[in-house]
Amino acid sequence: MTLEACTEALRQHDPDRFGAVLAAEAQDRPALATLYAINLEIARTPFQSNEPMLSEIRLQWWIDRLQEMGRGVAPPLHDVLTPLWDAWGEDAGTLATLAEARHRDCERRPFATLAEVVDYVDATAGTLMWSAARRCGVAEGQRDIVAHQARGAGLAAWLRALPQLQALGLGLGQPDPADAASLAVAARDGLRLAARLHRKVPRRAAAALYPGPRVPRLLSEIIAGRVDPFTATPQIVPFQRRASLARLALTGRWWR
């Protein structure tokens, strides 16, 4: 029931956020590590069973525990919930919305419109990044900047995972490269807008706003039609990930 269990889970299953935690200021690492670890557990829950009802039950268990924590009730001893409670206390209750946004994953229901994809990304990636940024000193008045960055980073991550999502029935109901390009444009525009406003955000929040490696390249390739994300997307090799995270750690820059 330790913070080390959370960081180890990230190291194995979410290396980009693991690197971002290492690049964060020491005071923020426990909050970020536990936040990203609970997000990892929640995101995986809908795929741990082929039965939608069973997936819903498991997801509801996380929602119930987080809501209880929000009411001041300590969770049962758990590898993730216990260190989350230590780092977040009653504020962990706000993370229940992160789990509630995953209900549609349990249904294995594809997206009918691009607006549905954007709403889903805002509810998942947007909630996650805002929670991280708030704990890293971002003020309420800067929420729009974080929302633009989260939408851009979240859509890019969704597009990178699209071949796997399509196979699971969680992609677009009508696969069309033009629709993928439209989402890539929305992601690029969100990242650019956030970048123009970066001076309003404290440097301390760089790790919380990190979008992942080679995001602009992926988006430009999709927009230009050189990558069809419905079939395959470029994978990140270890050198590229290390270089991107080194830049974050050395410069504190989360924008491109």
Side-chain angles (χ1 to χ4, degrees):
M1 322 305 175
T2 64
L3 183 62
E4 287 71 21
C6 293
T7 55
E8 178 59 20
L10 294 176
R11 187 187 68 79
Q12 292 186 29
H13 304 291
D14 195 346
D16 293 336
R17 291 195 177 102
F18 171 72
V21 169
L22 296 182
E25 294 191 9
Q27 62 187 353
D28 296 324
R29 288 174 194 159
L32 291 182
T34 53
L35 170 64
Y36 295 151
I38 191 67
N39 178 68
L40 179 64
E41 293 293 334
I42 289 169
R44 292 192 297 191
T45 294
F47 309 106
Q48 292 174 338
S49 172
N50 291 325
E51 294 292 334
M53 185 60 70
L54 185 55
S55 296
E56 287 278 2
I57 292 171
R58 290 174 173 172
L59 185 63
Q60 189 62 46
W61 184 89
W62 289 106
I63 294 170
D64 291 344
R65 300 293 80 72
L66 291 168
Q67 288 177 339
E68 289 170 356
M69 292 163 74
R71 296 193 294 270
V73 179
L77 290 177
H78 188 276
D79 284 347
V80 176
L81 290 178
T82 300
L84 181 75
W85 173 253
D86 292 339
W88 287 76
E90 293 184 14
D91 287 343
T94 63
L95 305 179
T97 57
L98 194 62
E100 289 166 350
R102 297 285 179 174
H103 278 300
R104 70 167 298 132
D105 291 348
C106 297
E107 301 170 13
R108 305 292 175 94
R109 177 163 50 95
F111 294 92
T113 68
L114 301 187
E116 287 184 1
V117 177
V118 173
D119 289 345
Y120 172 82
V121 166
D122 287 346
T124 52
T127 299
L128 181 68
M129 188 171 284
W130 173 244
S131 298
R134 198 77 171 99
R135 287 299 297 258
C136 292
V138 175
E140 181 66 36
Q142 298 156 348
R143 188 165 190 156
D144 285 350
I145 303 173
V146 177
H148 291 307
Q149 178 72 4
R151 178 174 291 182
L155 284 173
W158 191 87
L159 287 166
R160 190 180 294 280
L162 191 52
Q164 293 76 33
L165 294 173
Q166 287 294 130
L168 291 169
L170 292 170
L172 286 171
Q174 299 294 328
D176 185 342
D179 286 341
S182 295
L183 290 173
V185 169
R188 181 197 63 189
D189 291 349
L191 293 171
R192 286 179 175 177
L193 183 53
R196 287 200 294 270
L197 300 171
H198 74 269
R199 290 183 179 86
K200 297 183 179 182
V201 178
R203 177 184 171 124
R204 175 186 164 194
L209 298 173
Y210 177 60
R214 299 181 70 80
V215 167
R217 173 65 64 86
L218 171 68
L219 297 176
S220 65
E221 294 286 294
I222 294 173
I223 293 168
R226 291 188 290 270
V227 167
D228 179 1
F230 290 103
T231 57
T233 51
Q235 298 302 302
I236 303 299
V237 301
F239 171 78
Q240 293 168 339
R241 177 170 286 113
R242 289 195 298 268
S244 178
L245 288 168
R247 178 180 179 276
L248 173 69
L250 291 172
T251 69
R253 289 189 60 176
W254 49 266
W255 65 96
R256 293 295 186 269

